[in-house]
Amino acid sequence: LATVIRDERGKVIGSQSAVQDITERKRAEAALKASDATFRAVAELSPMAIYASKGSDQKALFNNKAYYELFGYSMEDTPTVGHWWTKAFPDEKYRQEVIDQWVHNIDQAKENHADVEALECVCTCKDGSEKVIVWVGKVIGDEFWAFGYDLTERNLAEEAMRTIQRLLTETEKMGKVGGWEFDVETGRQVWTEEIYRIHEVDFTYDPSLAKGINFYAPPSRPEIERAMQRTVALGESFDLELQIITAKGNLREVHVIGRADPARRKVLGFFQDITERKRAENEVLRLNAELEQLVRDRTVDLEAANKELKAFSYSVSHDLRTPLRAMDGFSMALLEDYAGQLDETAQNYLRRIRAGSQRMAGLIDDLLNLSRLTRETMQRECVDLTLMAKEMSAEFQQMNPERVVEWCVAPALTADADKGMLRAALGNLLGNAWKFTGRCARARIEVGAREQDGERVFFVRDNGAGFDMAYTGRLFGAFQRLHSVQEFAGNGIGLALVQRIVRRHGGRVWAEGAVGQGATFHFTLGNKDHKS
């Protein structure tokens, strides 16, 4: 019989076995509560986002700290799971798709007594940013627990890796370059995709099963074999340009670089198709050879032409000057000795003969000077252009002391040039300025320089007769004149001489002007213009 238990007044309150049952049940309940408290404490500390709900209305039971940090919501923001769905998925269509899939996964879990299948979705946080979250869940009685993993960074990293891989592949294609690795122990080779294309074999082909090093053309095989052996034995790197024969029998030039890993178990390296580059290099070599031959031929022709020009210059200097001197001399003798026997018309004819012969002699001198410039060797030195211009201006004034001209020569003008040639060029420019300001009441001639696009530009400017810019193309031609001899004397060769001198210095010359408003002649003296 069970032992009867009475209270202080003797009233029966139960049997011993019943009391024991109640005690065990209370202990179990206390243990369950303690276990639940422990679980919730652990869940609260979990780095995963966790939420729990209960009942058909999905009443929110629990959201841990990581959940709030993940989405930026508080408990007041998410009183129910349904409310949270609305905020996490603002797009109604997408929200319904996620809910339907999630409910389906939960129903399947209940039916199969299994965990809820994982669901990956894009959730919107409180600040409007989006995160890729994968949810896994578990049904425990009438409660549902869900665990969320943030895959955003992982997905971004994977996308970045895919982008990098795509860029590497495209870079290999554009550069016709690939990487390779050779396993010393197994003999297995691994190639990147571009090397397969260079060898004209399918990407699925395994080169370790067939030719391997025999892809190299026979003349190149001993060299690559020696290089590989020294790399494996001594750890030496190699850098070679060789030839291969592709699977389709085409010959290609390749650039191969290889080195061993620290353990010398593998050799890895770089492989580039340089067929087009080598073809271009060979074409350049061929063209260079042709050009060198052409230069040699032209040099021979030029030397012959120079000899002919020298002979012509000698002939002009001696053979043509003699009859001109005779014409001038006899004309002068007639004017001096027989003036009384000649009428004014005859004397005028003789004076015109003398002027023509003297002008012809001047033309001969100018031609000889022009041709001499093509033969003379240049001697560059630092030339004081300011001093040179002032000396010339003084000479012009001495020749015509009655003229009043304002000279403006900039100080400290220097140039790296051939002094004799520069004097000839400047003399012609100043001579033109002096000549074409002859009719100005207040003549002004300026010599200066300025910096333009990193280059020193010298100039000679005057306020004289000027010229029409429409005819600027004729200025620097030999014997080209924009004014008649009656207006301004000259042979029309001075500016051609200036241009030849400037070009020999590697420079350029150009002019600006307007009729009646003067002219400015600019010139440079090449990359060696001296700056001070």
Side-chain angles (χ1 to χ4, degrees):
L1 296 175
T3 303
V4 175
I5 300 176
R6 300 176 184 273
D7 60 13
E8 295 175 352
R9 293 175 293 183
K11 185 178 179 180
V12 177
I13 60 175
S15 66
Q16 185 178 5
S17 61
V19 172
Q20 288 176 344
D21 291 341
I22 293 172
T23 302
E24 292 299 327
R25 180 166 55 82
K26 288 183 177 180
R27 286 176 180 170
E29 289 175 353
L32 183 60
K33 288 181 180 180
S35 176
D36 182 63
T38 301
F39 175 77
R40 287 174 180 267
V42 172
E44 184 63 40
L45 296 174
S46 173
M48 294 185 297
I50 301 175
Y51 80 85
S53 59
K54 183 178 181 180
S56 59
D57 62 349
Q58 293 290 288
K59 178 70 175 180
L61 296 176
F62 175 80
N63 300 99
N64 70 345
K65 182 180 179 181
Y67 174 88
Y68 296 127
E69 292 176 348
L70 183 61
F71 298 103
Y73 294 112
S74 66
M75 178 61 78
E76 289 74 23
D77 293 323
T78 57
T80 65
V81 173
H83 190 186
W84 177 83
W85 283 103
T86 303
K87 292 192 173 186
F89 306 102
D91 183 80
E92 184 177 355
K93 182 179 178 181
Y94 181 61
R95 178 171 67 246
Q96 193 58 51
E97 291 176 357
V98 173
I99 291 174
D100 291 345
Q101 184 62 50
W102 196 226
V103 171
H104 172 75
N105 291 356
I106 294 172
D107 291 342
Q108 289 291 314
K110 289 179 178 179
E111 182 179 338
N112 300 324
H113 304 286
D115 293 338
V116 179
E117 184 179 349
L119 174 68
E120 185 176 317
C121 58
V122 179
C123 297
T124 302
C125 300
K126 188 176 182 179
D127 63 1
S129 62
E130 292 183 341
K131 291 185 177 181
V132 179
I133 310 296
V134 60
W135 292 99
V136 294
K138 190 171 185 65
V139 178
I140 305 175
D142 60 349
E143 294 182 0
F144 172 68
W145 288 77
F147 305 84
Y149 298 86
D150 185 357
L151 300 183
T152 307
E153 295 299 326
R154 189 202 71 180
N155 287 1
L156 289 175
E158 290 177 350
E159 179 61 27
M161 288 301 297
R162 287 192 292 269
T163 301
I164 291 172
Q165 185 59 47
R166 177 176 56 80
L167 290 174
L168 286 174
T169 301
E170 290 302 316
T171 301
E172 281 192 350
K173 288 181 180 178
M174 289 187 288
K176 295 184 179 180
V177 59
W180 56 270
E181 182 182 87
F182 174 73
D183 191 306
V184 175
E185 296 178 355
T186 65
R188 181 177 176 81
Q189 299 182 68
V190 178
W191 294 347
T192 59
E193 187 174 355
E194 182 59 23
I195 298 184
Y196 285 86
R197 282 190 286 270
I198 294 173
H199 285 78
E200 296 185 312
V201 294
D202 188 79
F203 188 48
T204 59
Y205 174 83
D206 185 354
S208 66
L209 302 178
K211 292 183 180 180
I213 206 168
N214 289 330
F215 267 115
Y216 289 94
S220 298
R221 290 175 194 170
E223 191 171 3
I224 187 64
E225 287 173 351
R226 286 193 299 269
M228 290 289 286
Q229 289 168 2
R230 293 183 66 83
T231 299
V232 173
L234 305 175
E236 294 182 356
S237 299
F238 62 85
D239 187 334
L240 304 172
E241 290 186 359
L242 305 170
Q243 292 181 328
I244 64 168
I245 300 175
T246 70
K248 295 182 179 180
N250 295 316
L251 185 68
R252 285 185 176 173
E253 302 277 351
V254 295
H255 181 201
V256 188
I257 295 176
R259 66 174 179 82
D261 64 5
R264 299 184 195 169
R265 293 192 181 95
K266 293 182 178 180
V267 181
L268 58 154
F270 162 105
F271 196 95
Q272 183 181 26
D273 184 353
I274 57 172
T275 306
E276 294 302 322
R277 191 195 79 188
K278 296 296 288 186
R279 185 177 293 123
E281 289 176 354
N282 291 335
E283 180 65 13
V284 169
L285 291 174
R286 185 187 67 79
L287 292 174
N288 282 342
E290 291 182 358
L291 182 60
E292 288 174 359
Q293 184 59 47
L294 181 62
V295 169
R296 286 192 290 269
D297 294 342
R298 291 293 174 87
T299 301
V300 171
D301 294 342
L302 184 60
E303 289 175 349
N306 282 336
K307 289 180 180 179
E308 292 177 1
L309 183 60
K310 189 174 182 180
F312 173 74
S313 298
Y314 180 85
S315 175
V316 168
S317 179
H318 293 78
D319 299 344
L320 291 184
R321 284 179 187 275
T322 300
L324 284 174
R325 282 195 293 268
M327 290 171 59
D328 184 51
F330 284 119
S331 298
M332 183 176 66
L334 285 171
L335 285 171
E336 291 179 350
D337 299 339
Y338 298 94
Q341 303 177 33
L342 300 172
D343 60 17
E344 183 58 31
T345 301
Q347 292 184 39
N348 180 52
Y349 287 160
L350 287 172
R351 284 193 291 270
R352 291 175 67 180
I353 290 172
R354 286 202 67 199
S357 63
Q358 290 171 359
R359 184 164 178 265
M360 184 64 183
L363 287 174
I364 291 172
D365 289 339
D366 288 339
L367 278 174
L368 291 174
N369 288 333
L370 190 63
S371 65
R372 178 173 51 82
L373 286 174
T374 63
R375 302 192 308 272
E376 283 189 350
T377 302
M378 288 180 56
Q379 300 291 334
R380 281 185 180 266
E381 59 182 297
C382 183
V383 180
D384 188 336
L385 206 62
T386 297
L387 178 62
M388 184 180 289
K390 287 183 176 180
E391 290 174 347
M392 290 183 179
S393 66
E395 292 172 3
F396 283 118
Q397 286 292 168
Q398 287 175 359
M399 288 189 296
N400 298 91
E402 72 282 358
R403 283 193 59 184
V404 178
V405 177
E406 179 187 359
W407 290 88
C408 299
V409 180
L413 292 178
T414 59
D416 191 66
D418 183 286
K419 189 173 183 178
M421 291 186 183
L422 187 57
R423 177 178 289 277
L426 186 61
N428 274 282
L429 292 176
L430 291 178
N432 277 353
W434 178 266
K435 176 171 61 177
F436 290 110
T437 56
R439 299 178 182 179
C440 295
R442 301 184 61 171
R444 187 176 190 275
I445 300 173
E446 181 184 359
V447 180
R450 70 179 189 280
E451 301 298 324
Q452 178 178 313
D453 300 328
E455 188 177 31
R456 193 128 203 235
V457 179
F458 300 95
F459 63 86
V460 174
R461 180 179 292 125
D462 67 69
N463 63 343
F467 62 91
D468 189 340
M469 287 292 288
Y471 302 105
T472 187
R474 294 171 50 190
L475 279 176
F476 299 99
F479 306 113
Q480 296 291 322
R481 297 177 53 87
L482 300 185
H483 303 85
S484 68
V485 177
Q486 289 73 26
E487 288 182 287
F488 298 100
N491 295 325
I493 204 168
L495 291 179
L497 189 70
V498 171
Q499 185 182 62
R500 183 72 58 86
I501 291 171
V502 168
R503 284 183 175 176
R504 287 213 61 188
H505 281 79
R508 54 198 176 92
V509 60
W510 67 98
E512 296 173 346
V515 176
Q517 298 180 34
T520 303
F521 287 84
H522 311 266
F523 65 94
T524 66
L525 296 171
N527 295 328
K528 294 186 178 181
D529 289 0
H530 182 76
K531 300 178 181 180
S532 61

